[in-house]
């Protein structure tokens, strides 16, 4: 569908999306933002664990990743489950279309999540049995492969929502998927740098600089590709509601690079988080009101208003149970002082 045709179709559909639809869509975007901040970092840690392989700091990196992820293992995926449940309850037509149209990439992403989860546990048991620091090679590779596959296929699925007929096998989708992988690697390195000291902190800061450069390059490549591959999203990223977020993301990337160059790990973590949030906000603002480009807007995919209102009333009560539990989990197991690095 041409963007002008889409605009006319939106105008013909009547007034803007009702308030309950907007509220549910905003909540869905917020939940996905939390997953981008926390879940992606878990995937990135798996990549750095694989990249360390048998290098000189392999044992120290394995310990740092296990110490950083183990206490809250898989807890961050609660936001992915939350998003899926919210999508099903608030936008069932979009859930059905995405589930059928993106069956393969979404199931490959799920397979990656399961693979890395199982491999992490088996690797820990293998370390204990062998009495060493390095995990068995097979499980280390499986952990890294799952950590690469999950964000890559989730990125393909994200890009597909902005293209005609949910096309997930295009150059634009490939670049977006690689950018999602790079964002996870950047987050993990920036977060792990704060949790370590000495040579190990320097190790993760160097990885964060490399991941930031890769993310910047992929983002610059994705923007012109989006104009042709994503006829609604692309122009709005560079000249519509997404432009302020793109400009702010560029500023956050420069500040992040400056903090990483100075070795200011805490500042780098802050700017890394801001960069990922701004990139996601720019994407979401530009894609609105389409959940599936050219097929389903948020209003067209939404559940009946009565169901939406009930959902919006009940969700805060669920969050009242979830958020304190997660806060307690992180406070108990993530509040330890930074670990010294070797050297």
């Amino acid at each position: 569908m041409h963007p002008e045709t889409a605009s006319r179709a939106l105008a013909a559909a009547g007034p803007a999306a009702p308030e309950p639809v907007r509220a549910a869509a905003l909540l869905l975007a917020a939940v996905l933002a939390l997953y981008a901040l926390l879940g992606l970092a878990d995937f990135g840690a798996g990549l750095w664990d694989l990249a360390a392989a048998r290098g000189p700091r392999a044992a120290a990196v394995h310990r740092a990743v296990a110490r950083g992820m183990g206490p809250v293992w898989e807890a961050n995926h609660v936001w992915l489950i939350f998003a899926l449940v919210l999508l099903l309850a608030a936008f069932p037509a979009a859930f059905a279309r995405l589930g059928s149209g993106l069956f393969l990439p979404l199931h490959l992403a799920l397979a990656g999540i399961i693979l890395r989860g199982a491999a992490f546990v088996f690797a820990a048991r293998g370390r204990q049995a062998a009495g060493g620091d390095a995990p068995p090679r097979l499980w280390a590779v499986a952990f890294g492969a799952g950590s690469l596959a999950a964000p890559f296929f989730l990125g393909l699925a994200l890009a597909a929502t902005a293209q005609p007929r949910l096309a997930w096998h295009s150059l634009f989708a490939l670049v977006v998927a690689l950018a999602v992988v790079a964002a996870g690697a950047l987050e993990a390195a920036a977060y792990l740098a704060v949790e370590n000291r000495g040579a190990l902190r320097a190790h993760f800061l160097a990885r964060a600089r490399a991941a930031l450069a890769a993310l910047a390059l992929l983002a610059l490549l994705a923007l012109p590709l989006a104009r042709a591959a994503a006829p609604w999203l692309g122009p709005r990223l560079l000249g519509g509601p997404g432009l302020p977020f793109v400009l702010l993301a560029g500023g956050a990337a420069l500040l992040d690079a400056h903090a990483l160059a100075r070795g200011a790990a805490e500042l780098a973590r802050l700017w890394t988080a801001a960069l990922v949030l701004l990139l996601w906000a720019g994407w979401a603002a530009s894609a609105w009101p389409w959940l599936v480009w050219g097929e389903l807007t948020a209003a067209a995919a939404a559940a009946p208003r009565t169901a939406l209102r009930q959902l919006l009333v009940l969700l805060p009560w669920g969050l009242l149970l979830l958020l304190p539990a997660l806060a307690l989990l992180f406070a108990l197991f993530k509040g330890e002082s930074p670990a010294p690095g070797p050297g």
Side-chain angles (χ1 to χ4, degrees):
M1 184 184 293
H2 192 276
E4 292 182 3
T5 308
S7 298
R8 286 196 295 271
L10 288 174
E19 281 302 319
V21 175
R22 287 177 172 271
L26 186 60
L27 185 58
L28 179 61
V31 171
L32 289 173
L34 286 171
Y35 189 61
L37 275 182
L38 302 171
L40 274 188
D42 279 353
F43 297 136
L47 291 178
W48 294 128
D49 186 81
L50 177 63
R54 305 292 184 188
R57 292 197 178 92
V61 171
H62 292 317
R63 282 198 304 272
V65 170
R67 188 175 55 245
M69 299 174 58
V72 293
W73 179 234
E74 302 294 51
N76 292 324
H77 293 309
V78 71
W79 299 114
L80 179 60
I81 298 169
F82 196 149
L84 291 174
V85 172
L86 184 57
L87 182 65
L88 172 62
F91 305 102
F95 184 91
R97 180 68 184 100
L98 294 173
S100 59
L102 298 175
F103 181 88
L104 186 57
L106 290 179
H107 278 75
L108 288 174
L110 180 60
I113 291 173
I114 294 171
L115 176 64
R116 68 189 299 276
F120 187 79
V121 174
F122 282 116
R125 297 297 182 193
R127 275 197 301 269
Q128 290 175 359
D133 290 320
R137 182 66 178 165
L138 172 65
W139 295 120
V141 171
F143 179 52
S147 299
L148 173 63
F152 179 79
F153 287 109
L154 287 175
L156 285 182
L158 174 65
T161 63
Q163 296 184 95
R165 297 179 294 283
L166 288 177
W168 57 272
H169 36 67
S170 66
L171 180 58
F172 171 67
L174 175 64
V175 171
V176 171
L178 291 176
V180 171
V181 173
L186 170 61
E187 287 179 329
Y191 297 174
L192 286 169
V194 174
E195 296 184 4
N196 293 275
R197 291 175 179 161
L200 204 50
R201 172 174 286 191
H203 172 90
F204 285 119
L205 286 174
R207 269 66 188 166
R209 287 192 289 271
L212 177 61
L215 178 59
L217 182 64
L218 290 164
L220 290 175
L221 185 57
L223 285 174
L225 287 174
R227 279 193 170 276
W232 180 266
L233 180 92
R236 288 162 64 86
L237 271 174
L238 293 171
L243 182 59
F245 296 104
V246 171
L247 295 176
L248 287 172
L254 291 175
L255 290 168
D256 197 8
H258 181 62
L260 289 170
R262 291 176 46 224
E266 288 80 4
L267 268 181
R269 178 173 63 175
L270 174 67
W271 289 120
T272 294
L275 171 60
V276 172
L277 281 179
L278 288 166
L279 288 174
W280 169 240
W283 181 288
S286 301
W288 178 260
W290 296 97
L291 296 185
V292 180
W293 153 243
E295 299 183 30
L296 287 171
T297 62
R305 293 189 192 183
T306 304
L308 281 180
R309 290 194 181 95
Q310 291 174 350
L311 180 69
L312 293 171
V313 168
L314 290 174
L315 277 177
W317 295 99
L319 288 173
L320 278 179
L321 295 175
L322 175 62
L323 294 178
L326 283 176
L328 180 62
L329 179 71
F330 277 80
L332 286 177
F333 297 108
K334 296 289 287 182
E336 300 173 1
S337 57

